[in-house]
Amino acid sequence: MKKLFVLLAAFSLLGGCATAMSPVTGIVYSNVTAPLTATAAPDQPQRVGRASVRSILGIIATGDASINTAARNGGIREIHYVDYESQNFFGILAEFTVVFYGN
């Protein structure tokens, strides 16, 4: 029982090390897709652009999840809506991706 308590305490401490934005959290693992924003564009989006950032233990973080990069990666000039994807594994590895839909 004591080992289980120590293990759960370690997970809770590590959970904040490498985190990404998410509407819900998982101590061991999370993989979430959620909406970020939308426009009133009447037509269907034809293109998708992605941009990501990654973190290791909350110590090293790299990437470019900017609007400009995601739109450029998808060849998008008119944004229809934006989602995001968030992954976290034991607070050790985290990734945040913005996904732009448009034309």
Side-chain angles (χ1 to χ4, degrees), residues 52-92:
S52 299
V53 292
R54 291 163 196 83
S55 175
I56 300 171
L57 290 174
I59 298 170
I60 299 170
T62 62
D64 180 358
S66 66
I67 293 170
N68 188 38
T69 299
R72 184 177 57 235
N73 288 345
I76 297 171
R77 294 180 186 217
E78 178 183 295
I79 296 171
H80 289 217
Y81 62 96
V82 182
D83 289 341
Y84 71 87
E85 300 168 351
S86 175
Q87 294 184 344
N88 186 358
F89 181 71
F90 280 105
I92 297 170

